[in-house]
Amino acid sequence: MVSERSSSSKKVCVIGAGPAGLVAARELRKEGHNVVVLEQSHDVGGQWLYDPKVEEENPLGKDRFLKVHSSIYASLRLTSPREIMGFTDFPFVARKGRDMRRFPGHQELFLYLQDFCERFGLREMVRFNTRVENVEMLDYPVLDEDLKWVVRSKVAEEAVEEVYDAVVVATGHYSQPRLPRIKGMDTWKRRQMHSHIYRVPEPFKNEVVVVVGNSLSGQDISMELVNVAKEIHLSAKSLTISQGLSKVISKYHNLHLHPQIESLHEDGRVLFVDGSWIVADTVIYCTGYSYSFPFLDTKGIVVIDDDRVGPLYEHTFPPSLAPSLSFIGIPRKGFLSLSPKQKWIAEVLSGKRRLPSWDDMMQSIKEFYHSRDVAGIPKHNTHDVANFEYCDKYADYIDFPHLEEWRKELCLSALRNSEINLETYRDSYEEDEELLRLVHNTPHFAQLHRP
């Protein structure tokens, strides 16, 4: 809804200088707000700032504050083509002297984010090497439209305390490991780790490795280990797998598919639910990530219940604390390419847009939860909603253009190809060639040639 109130400028703290936080900072500044971005690392990028030093991290990620933020491994390549990954007004094009592949490695996306910062002068808003320790309401229990936030951070052991009109949490959701509950996990003597700290295959040379979970990372890591490990045993919830994964398992004699693990035993045995077992050296859990905001104190107003963060209106605003507190990056499986949500937050904070009433927001959340329950979707998948319609819904809130049809088609094409050709889809994409010729003549790419 468009508001008739005059525009106002707020002092806003954005936590995290990954893709979501950088776009938020740009949109907030564009709307006239005074923006500070707090980033714990030495550079921008968030997940895309590769960190090979994982030795001090708890291998299962059980520390409250993680020492390592990025979960990216050395060989990781994008699972989506660069054409659909670029921000709406800043295409992700191949540059000479860099990784020019359509599905480039992670370093290329990091460099793209550096280019984005340079183009829009974003770095000046970021305070690096700044760890956010605590965020809490200034005048709790008074919750009114002038609600402010106290943000306590630490820079080189020096404590800093500041008050902000609004806080935007953009810390991502691919850092805090989510682990299964398996009998014997706590007493198993051999190596257990989450893929959060997996970086390279060499440490697993000649080992028998169990990879738990056949997600994208589970498949990627399994395929990387086949040339190094003695055996790889991929444990999946379902033995009904894609044609692409089936091809890979048939190709490699040392890659085996198993059902879920029943139990781990002190002698190294890993027992599967079908009664089969193997003796393993290492178990790698590729079981996803949980939401975690250890710095945030909302007095129980926003809670995480089995990976459901709520209550959040449109996965963004907690009704009782809106609009002074908002979250970006809660929906999983989303696009890097869009900024309608960040623009929406910026315009709500300035008064250009209005949120529905508290009652209407809470009713919307209740109806959403009910629709997920009726569809039989587990609570921990509450935020797996990032489809095309979802992206377009945010666009409608601010009269922003919908996702281009070519972007949708290239996305679907990559998904189809990966289902059939898991090992080669990033380098073989004949069916896209004709569409790509048209895409590179669209307004999205034409803007590169404007003076």
Side-chain angles (χ1 to χ4, degrees), residues 54 89 157 161 175 280 284 298 322 331 367 428 438:
V54 295
D89 57 356
E157 299 308 310
E161 182 175 305
S175 292
I284 304 176
T298 64
E367 289 172 359
S428 181
L438 297 173

Side-chain angles (χ1 to χ4, degrees), residues 64-91:
R64 182 165 178 259
F65 282 93
L66 296 174
K67 296 178 179 67
V68 177
H69 178 71
S70 176
S71 298
I72 284 178
Y73 38 96
S75 66
L76 184 141
R77 290 176 64 183
L78 303 191
T79 57
S80 298
R82 67 165 71 235
E83 297 86 12
I84 71 171
M85 292 291 283
F87 294 125
T88 312
D89 57 356
F90 192 68

Side-chain angles (χ1 to χ4, degrees), residues 72-222:
I72 284 178
Y73 38 96
S75 66
L76 184 141
R77 290 176 64 183
L78 303 191
T79 57
S80 298
R82 67 165 71 235
E83 297 86 12
I84 71 171
M85 292 291 283
F87 294 125
T88 312
D89 57 356
F90 192 68
F92 185 15
V93 296
R95 296 184 184 275
K96 288 183 179 179
R98 294 196 345 203
D99 186 345
M100 298 182 68
R101 294 173 296 180
R102 282 192 71 212
F103 294 78
H106 58 83
Q107 174 71 3
E108 179 65 11
L109 184 48
F110 170 70
L111 293 174
Y112 166 75
L113 294 173
Q114 296 265 28
D115 294 340
F116 180 71
C117 283
E118 181 74 21
R119 169 68 177 81
F120 294 102
L122 305 181
R123 194 174 284 273
E124 63 196 41
M125 291 186 279
V126 185
R127 293 185 197 162
F128 295 107
N129 301 306
T130 302
R131 188 179 196 88
V132 177
E133 303 273 314
N134 178 253
V135 175
E136 63 181 9
M137 292 166 274
L138 179 62
D139 296 319
Y140 183 81
V142 178
L143 304 178
D144 57 27
E145 61 183 28
D146 294 320
L147 176 65
K148 296 184 187 301
W149 295 84
V150 180
V151 177
R152 297 181 182 89
S153 58
K154 190 172 281 189
V155 187
E157 299 308 310
E158 180 184 342
V160 178
E161 182 175 305
E162 297 167 290
V163 176
Y164 290 90
D165 299 312
V167 172
V168 178
V169 179
T171 51
H173 54 249
Y174 291 116
S175 292
Q176 184 65 52
R178 179 180 174 87
L179 295 167
R181 292 187 179 92
I182 298 174
K183 182 181 177 183
M185 268 183 80
D186 295 337
T187 55
W188 206 62
K189 297 286 193 293
R190 303 189 180 195
R191 178 164 54 181
Q192 295 182 81
M193 56 183 281
H194 191 275
S195 57
H196 169 62
I197 63 163
Y198 175 89
R199 292 296 182 269
V200 292
E202 285 73 23
F204 308 93
K205 187 173 183 178
N206 296 325
E207 285 195 356
V208 175
V209 181
V210 175
V211 175
V212 182
N214 69 335
S215 60
L216 290 172
S217 62
Q219 294 174 10
D220 257 7
I221 291 170
S222 295

